[in-house]
């Protein structure tokens, strides 16, 4: 399944709870999207999330349903390691 990196910008400070995560995961399940993990910026106003999904549109649909921004959605195909080696995702 394709892997995507999503950048989300929040107007307010993001406070994540188990209940919020459960709701997002339920919507993602409906859209065939799997949230792998996220990085939260130090000011708690931006996240960088890694997802598996059939398409960028599926991610955008899930984001709209969950009331989440999806400012940038980019498909990724590989990681580059510090030794310069390339590894498929």
């Amino acid at each position: 399944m394709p892997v995507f990196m999503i950048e989300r910008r929040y107007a307010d400070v993001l406070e994540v709870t188990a209940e919020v995560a459960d709701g997002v995961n339920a919507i993602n399940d409906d859209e065939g999207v799997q949230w792998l993990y996220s990085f939260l910026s130090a000011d708690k106003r931006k996240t960088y999330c890694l997802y598996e999904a059939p398409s960028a549109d599926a991610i955008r649909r899930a984001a709209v349903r969950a009331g989440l921004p999806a400012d940038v959605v980019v498909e990724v195909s590989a990681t580059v390691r510090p030794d310069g080696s390339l590894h498929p995702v």
Side-chain angles (χ1 to χ4, degrees):
M1 177 145 341
V3 176
F4 296 86
M5 180 70 71
I6 298 93
E7 179 181 328
R8 303 181 192 278
R9 293 182 205 116
Y10 296 91
D12 298 316
V13 171
L14 177 64
E15 296 295 335
V16 182
T17 66
E19 293 80 17
V20 169
D22 287 345
V24 170
N25 287 323
I27 291 167
N28 288 346
D29 288 346
D30 287 346
E31 296 291 343
V33 171
Q34 183 178 5
W35 175 18
L36 301 175
Y37 58 87
S38 297
F39 296 96
L40 180 60
S41 65
D43 65 2
K44 295 185 179 183
R45 292 183 184 267
K46 194 179 278 192
T47 62
Y48 300 90
C49 308
L50 199 63
Y51 275 73
E52 287 182 336
S55 67
D57 286 339
I59 290 169
R60 288 186 186 98
R61 283 192 307 271
V64 166
R65 288 181 58 198
L68 297 172
D71 302 300
V72 179
V73 179
V74 177
E75 186 172 356
V76 296
S77 61
T79 61
V80 179
R81 305 285 167 85
D83 65 1
S85 60
L86 190 64
H87 296 268
V89 176

